Amino acid sequence: MKLTEEMLSGFPDARGHFGAYGGRFVSETLFDSLMTLEKEYKRLKNDPDFQAEFDKDLAHYVGRPSPLYFAERLSRETGGAQIWLKREDLNHTGAHKVNNTIGQALLASFLGKKRVIAETGAGQHGVATATVCARLGLECHVFMGAEDVQRQSLNVYRMKLLGATVHSVQSGTKTLKDAMNDAMRDWVANVDDTFYIIGTVAGPHPYPLLVRDFQSVIGRETREQCLAQARKLPDALVACVGGGSNAIGMFYPFLTDESVQMYGVEAGGLGIETGKHAAPLSAGRPGVLHGNRTYLMEDENGQIAGTHSVSAGLDYPGVGPEHSWLKDIGRANYVSVTDDEAMEGFRKLTRVEGIMPALETAHAVAYAIKLAATMEKDQVVVINVSGRGDKDIQTVAKLDGIEM
Amino acid sequence: MSRIEGVLKSLKSQGRKALIPYITAGDPHPDQTVELMHTLVKAGADIIELGVPFSDPMADGPVIQQACERSLVHGTSLRQVIGMVKTFRETDDQTPIVLMGYLNPMEAMGYELFANSAKEAGVDGILTVDLPPEEADEVAPLFTERNLDAIFLLAPTTTDDRIRAISEHSSGYVYYVSFKGVTGSGTIDIDEVASKVAHIHELTALPVGVGFGIRDAETAAAVGRVSDGVIVGSVLVDTIARNQADPVQLNKALTDLLHPMREALDNLTV
């Protein structure tokens, strides 16, 4: 399907649907809040004061624009297309997550909400939320699966230093999906004074829309930078996909550029064939979870399946509904790489370019290297380096058998 | 007239209020559910809300979350839950059964197959926590065509326009969630509930059941006084959790909890 600007304006539609996906599948208590949020966001989206504030924060607090960097040595060693890196890892707090938390925290302020809640997997979204809450003087509660609290203890402490309360979630599989369940439960109970900052392009409408809008700065900058620096549009974009916020941020401004191929890289874990992975687009089927219809990992009875990935940030059984739609219409390709391949990508980028990516990002790196090798020298592949790897050093050390 | 409508009309004509207990199917074990349903009827239940366990019950507090986990340990599926209703119907064709749960297990089974199987087994109503009427275009007609009542939630945050719209999509009764929060949490404010339910009665002719926060005979009576029925969930499920090791004691404990609520409701002079 060739997409035009006009067509895109209808996605999502008035009820938050991207084709068969998205929507607003929530219990009644939250419905009015979501309607209010949608209405207020529509108004503020075109409010010059709101936009100016957002742009100012992105420039002076986040440090945007982030560079588009030509990875010359990696390209040479790969021996194919030119590999360029969009450096979201250089943002304040070390990942793309902050683009969205800045936007949503501004919304919270404009709506007069004093209390903020968030879910987090790897802790990057939790840190980014705690950071903006510290700056705006908002009370911050972060829900994090007990298992992730264990494997991302550094980020837990960072959030506490920033003044957030971290709630360790003991239910279910004790990972990101359960953190999201508990955040929703908190929201239902405190809906009058609380703003829920969702970290990814999933959740009920209007969240997938507003997270996409806030993250699209990534793709808009990349488009301009690539035209200026490489003197052409990219031939391929590669981004990792857990919930899919960094990928949609990169893809969205290119959707009408037919020549630009897009690759979303899911967590293949121990291998798709083992069932131990977190790749709903590669191996799942449509269902309803966390307020939206989308591809899910589930059993034959519709119970949500446990996931596995070496990276906590990709360890999620669902994915943003817009990705489900882009998959079905064939506009974006969704692929997966295993834990082992991702670790190779991590080591390669670290050793060849001196850039240590987050383990989530390492999935995109691993796939992009394979892809670039099959392409011509005058072609351009852009990897969205969604985050830096400092938070993962303990995980990597453990895999190397080193006690820290 | 559906079985739910019949029961609620008959209660109303007698000046009585409906007692609607909730338990999670398959908790503590799938083999015990049908017996527990009969126990609830003997203790005074007018309608049973039978929970379909889900791995991610987002609107539920820890008590019902753990009930889902206990049930899912045994692999309880939606198909099996429908099978339990079928078995229950072999000896009780009077008590209406409402399946209450989340959308994904129904979607995974396939809506048409689900609606057919539920109807065939003797299910009377469907309450899907995460399915607002706005998203029910595809599903609701399948229920209506089969005379299965679609029961929707109303909350303290529901606006008047939505109360009207939701009521239009509903049949049987509407379920008013008495406070903002998950199941098993919070404290019910009777005065607030009374004024909200009175307001809902102005906007719809459907009976209004009230759930969340009803723990004992006293709260049941207080809520029964101002509504058409009371829905009791977490306190029963908690009783199941505490007595799961002893099936005989479990049936007695449920009866001891529910029966006084029945008496308190029937002693109301309205």
Side-chain angles (χ1 to χ4, degrees):
Chain A
M1 186 192 293
K2 161 104 176 81
L3 293 171
T4 62
E5 291 292 342
E6 195 191 345
M7 287 167 71
L8 281 183
S9 66
F11 294 96
D13 67 15
R15 294 189 306 160
H17 291 228
F18 299 88
Y21 305 104
R24 197 146 35 193
F25 296 88
V26 293
S27 62
E28 179 56 27
T29 309
L30 294 177
F31 211 90
D32 188 55
S33 239
L34 290 168
M35 300 282 276
T36 306
L37 177 60
E38 183 194 358
K39 198 176 89 215
E40 292 297 315
Y41 176 63
K42 267 190 187 152
R43 181 175 67 80
L44 289 169
K45 194 179 174 181
N46 299 312
D47 174 353
D49 288 345
F50 180 84
Q51 280 307 329
E53 188 93 10
F54 182 54
D55 292 344
K56 191 183 80 188
D57 284 352
L58 288 185
H60 302 297
Y61 190 69
V62 177
R64 304 205 70 92
S66 65
L68 180 68
Y69 163 77
F70 178 33
E72 208 171 344
R73 190 158 172 240
L74 180 65
S75 303
R76 203 163 52 237
E77 286 206 3
T78 303
Q82 300 168 25
I83 299 172
W84 293 68
L85 308 177
K86 179 61 174 167
R87 300 291 310 276
E88 292 298 301
D89 58 314
L90 294 177
N91 292 342
H92 180 42
T93 70
H96 73 289
K97 290 289 185 191
V98 73
N99 303 326
N100 167 52
T101 52
I102 291 269
Q104 288 198 50
L106 265 182
L107 271 176
S109 296
F110 272 70
L111 296 178
K113 307 271 183 176
K114 300 281 178 230
R115 183 176 179 273
V116 162
I117 57 171
E119 84 294 340
T120 197
Q124 288 305 103
H125 174 60
V127 166
T129 304
T131 298
V132 297
C133 286
R135 176 168 171 257
L136 296 172
L138 300 169
E139 181 186 335
C140 180
H141 295 266
V142 179
F143 294 85
M144 189 168 184
E147 193 181 311
D148 293 335
V149 167
Q150 286 290 323
R151 57 180 169 175
Q152 302 285 343
S153 55
L154 195 66
N155 270 344
V156 173
Y157 189 53
R158 279 171 86 192
M159 289 184 266
K160 287 181 180 167
L161 286 174
L162 288 159
T165 306
V166 180
H167 301 265
S168 176
V169 176
Q170 301 290 342
S171 58
T173 59
K174 302 180 176 64
T175 59
L176 179 54
K177 82 172 172 74
D178 310 286
M180 201 151 176
N181 290 339
D182 264 21
M184 293 263 193
R185 290 173 185 130
D186 180 287
W187 197 27
V188 169
N190 300 291
V191 65
D192 293 329
D193 70 340
T194 296
F195 191 100
Y196 181 14
I197 298 189
I198 294 184
T200 191
V201 281
H205 180 63
Y207 281 99
L209 166 70
L210 59 97
V211 176
R212 177 192 79 194
D213 286 356
F214 293 140
Q215 291 294 0
S216 290
V217 65
I218 301 171
R220 280 198 308 275
E221 284 177 8
T222 301
R223 200 169 184 284
E224 272 180 34
Q225 290 166 322
C226 198
L227 285 170
Q229 294 172 240
R231 309 220 168 269
K232 59 178 290 199
L233 283 174
D235 295 283
L237 305 170
V238 184
C240 64
V241 176
S245 70
N246 90 81
I248 212 78
M250 175 60 92
F251 294 173
Y252 188 71
F254 290 97
L255 285 178
T256 56
D257 296 312
E258 216 176 349
S259 66
V260 180
Q261 299 293 306
M262 298 170 185
Y263 297 88
V265 188
E266 295 192 299
L270 303 180
I272 297 291
E273 70 289 351
T274 66
K276 293 186 190 314
H277 58 82
L281 291 167
S282 308
R285 61 171 174 162
V288 173
L289 179 68
H290 292 151
N292 65 110
R293 178 174 284 120
T294 191
Y295 278 85
L296 294 176
M297 288 180 55
E298 59 177 14
D299 70 12
E300 71 278 12
N301 296 318
Q303 306 297 339
I304 306 307
T307 51
H308 167 82
S309 171
V310 69
S311 87
L314 301 184
D315 214 346
Y316 181 67
V319 63
E322 192 162 9
H323 286 296
S324 295
W325 176 65
L326 291 173
K327 171 192 161 75
D328 281 8
I329 64 169
R331 179 61 187 95
N333 307 288
Y334 294 92
V335 296
S336 68
V337 304
T338 64
D339 285 353
D340 288 347
E341 290 174 304
M343 290 309 301
E344 265 179 56
F346 171 88
R347 291 178 203 284
K348 183 91 179 180
L349 194 66
T350 303
R351 295 294 285 268
V352 175
E353 293 287 348
I355 294 171
M356 195 177 289
L359 290 182
E360 292 78 17
T361 310
H363 288 72
V365 173
Y367 187 78
I369 291 173
K370 285 199 273 190
L371 177 69
T374 68
M375 294 167 65
E376 302 301 325
K377 284 203 183 330
D378 61 347
Q379 291 188 293
V380 169
V381 174
V382 176
I383 305 173
N384 193 16
V385 183
S386 54
R388 68 181 182 221
D390 305 48
K391 68 177 174 65
D392 294 312
I393 288 177
Q394 282 174 328
T395 306
V396 175
K398 208 169 155 191
L399 288 172
D400 283 344
I402 294 164
E403 280 294 322
M404 305 218 3
Chain B
M1 193 187 301
S2 75
R3 199 155 20 203
I4 293 174
E5 205 183 336
V7 163
L8 291 173
K9 278 218 164 117
S10 146
L11 284 168
K12 194 176 170 76
S13 69
Q14 301 165 47
R16 295 170 71 220
K17 305 299 173 137
L19 178 59
I20 310 175
Y22 164 99
I23 58 171
T24 303
D27 169 36
H29 192 282
D31 293 346
Q32 286 170 263
T33 300
V34 174
E35 188 192 345
L36 293 179
M37 289 165 74
H38 289 304
T39 298
L40 296 175
V41 174
K42 279 183 208 135
D46 297 304
I47 297 172
I48 293 174
E49 286 187 357
L50 186 61
V52 179
F54 183 47
S55 53
D56 295 78
M58 277 170 301
D60 286 299
V63 168
I64 292 177
Q65 287 171 40
Q66 284 156 22
C68 287
E69 287 179 19
R70 284 194 297 274
S71 174
L72 289 174
V73 163
H74 306 292
T76 310
S77 67
L78 178 54
R79 281 182 173 79
Q80 283 173 296
V81 176
I82 293 168
M84 293 171 195
V85 177
K86 195 170 185 174
T87 310
F88 174 83
R89 280 276 170 258
E90 287 169 7
T91 47
D92 185 333
D93 62 2
Q94 302 291 316
T95 312
I97 304 293
V98 174
L99 292 187
M100 180 170 185
Y102 294 80
L103 190 60
N104 202 51
M106 296 175 201
E107 179 146 324
M109 183 172 174
Y111 292 121
E112 186 143 11
L113 176 60
F114 166 66
N116 286 338
S117 312
K119 183 66 195 178
E120 197 255 333
V123 169
D124 301 286
I126 314 288
L127 199 174
T128 315
V129 177
D130 54 352
L131 183 71
E134 284 82 351
E135 299 289 354
D137 301 356
E138 182 193 350
V139 192
L142 294 173
F143 297 161
T144 318
E145 285 159 17
R146 290 164 181 77
N147 204 21
L148 288 164
D149 286 318
I151 293 152
F152 288 98
L153 300 174
L154 298 174
T157 52
T158 307
T159 58
D160 284 2
D161 283 350
R162 276 183 66 75
I163 292 176
R164 286 191 203 94
I166 291 169
S167 304
E168 267 173 35
H169 284 83
S170 305
S171 58
Y173 58 98
V174 289
Y175 183 138
Y176 178 64
V177 176
S178 72
F179 57 78
K180 296 168 205 160
V182 292
T183 53
S185 70
T187 316
I188 194 164
D189 178 338
I190 299 293
D191 292 341
E192 209 180 292
V193 170
S195 78
K196 189 76 181 191
V197 172
H199 185 60
I200 295 168
H201 275 141
E202 288 168 10
L203 301 175
T204 175
L206 285 171
V208 181
V210 176
F212 285 41
I214 294 149
R215 298 165 203 279
D216 49 25
E218 195 187 338
T219 45
V223 172
R225 194 182 295 280
V226 301
S227 67
D228 302 300
V230 300
I231 300 147
V232 187
S234 291
V235 68
L236 290 170
V237 174
D238 188 47
T239 300
I240 292 174
R242 281 186 286 106
N243 294 282
Q244 55 181 305
D246 182 347
V248 176
Q249 176 56 31
L250 171 53
N251 282 284
K252 184 177 178 312
L254 282 180
T255 303
D256 290 349
L257 184 65
L258 203 61
H259 191 64
M261 296 190 197
R262 173 81 273 166
E263 289 190 321
L265 286 174
D266 287 346
N267 288 334
L268 285 174
T269 44
V270 270

